[in-house]
Amino acid sequence: MPNESENYQAQPAITKAGIAAMGALSGEGTVGLKFTHMGVSPKSFDPTGEETELKEERSPRYEIADSRWMEGNRLHLTASIEDIERFDVGSIGLYAGDTLFAVQSKAGELISTKLEHEDLLLSFDLIVSADLKTKITVEGNGERLNLSVAGELSKITEMIMNLEAERLSDKKEIEELKTKVALLEGRA
């Protein structure tokens, strides 16, 4: 069984189909490359570039919810898994339509575990050359994820759990924190 790493460091591997798609972008008048979905699989492996699909990929694929260009021509993509089941994520695939563009995986390591009845935020980062940046688009569900609120929400939730775990008698403080969580959830 793979170990889940808190400091997961596998770099995305562009598939041969992804390389071909990027090569097609270099010509004048090309339409462009449109990232649409992420796929996940419980299997972790070392990508070879020959992949056309993830091994044991879960269905359905997840629409990209948000994308941002970061410093250094880095494209940061996110998708949200809203599922009731618990499962391991050993690999993530980035799709441009039906084409598996890139794979993030490392043999023997889990990227994450999606807990039962909890949402999981996937992220995928690519660094592209400046000349190709203008030819890449992202098709998503338009759901802009507010990661700063999500981080604060996570901290407040952790505080609540710690307070409850220590069985503090000050119920007023716990209720105030729960109220803050509810307010943040309304903004997220």
Side-chain angles (χ1 to χ4, degrees), residues 18-29:
I19 291 169
M22 284 192 312
L25 292 179
S26 61
E28 296 257 346

Side-chain angles (χ1 to χ4, degrees), residues 1-64:
M1 170 121 174
N3 294 324
E4 185 171 353
S5 172
E6 288 187 25
N7 298 315
Y8 187 81
Q9 295 295 318
Q11 297 297 315
I14 309 294
T15 64
K16 286 188 175 181
I19 291 169
M22 284 192 312
L25 292 179
S26 61
E28 296 257 346
T30 56
V31 175
L33 183 63
K34 186 183 293 187
F35 295 122
T36 57
H37 292 81
M38 288 187 212
V40 296
S41 169
K43 296 290 182 189
S44 63
F45 60 95
D46 290 325
T48 64
E50 300 289 334
E51 294 80 17
T52 57
E53 61 184 20
L54 294 177
K55 301 170 187 178
E56 297 182 29
E57 182 176 339
R58 291 182 55 85
S59 183
R61 292 180 181 149
Y62 303 95
E63 285 184 69
I64 294 175

Side-chain angles (χ1 to χ4, degrees), residues 104-123:
Q104 186 173 359
S105 187
K106 187 173 181 180
E109 291 189 26
L110 289 179
I111 295 172
S112 187
T113 297
K114 196 263 175 229
L115 300 176
E116 188 174 2
H117 298 286
E118 297 289 331
D119 295 347
L120 177 65
L121 182 66
L122 298 175
S123 66

Side-chain angles (χ1 to χ4, degrees), residues 79-133:
S80 180
I81 298 178
E82 298 169 359
D83 196 322
I84 60 170
E85 292 181 53
R86 179 202 182 280
F87 56 87
D88 291 331
V89 177
S91 54
I92 301 174
L94 177 61
Y95 286 86
D98 290 330
T99 301
L100 179 59
F101 181 84
V103 176
Q104 186 173 359
S105 187
K106 187 173 181 180
E109 291 189 26
L110 289 179
I111 295 172
S112 187
T113 297
K114 196 263 175 229
L115 300 176
E116 188 174 2
H117 298 286
E118 297 289 331
D119 295 347
L120 177 65
L121 182 66
L122 298 175
S123 66
F124 204 105
D125 287 8
L126 286 175
I127 297 175
V128 299
S129 64
D131 60 326
L132 294 181
K133 182 177 176 180

Side-chain angles (χ1 to χ4, degrees), residues 6 29 51-52 60 74 77 86 93 108 128 139-140 146-147 149-150 162:
E6 288 187 25
E51 294 80 17
T52 57
R74 182 169 57 103
L77 303 157
R86 179 202 182 280
V128 299
E139 179 181 296
N146 189 336
L147 300 180
V149 172
N162 288 339

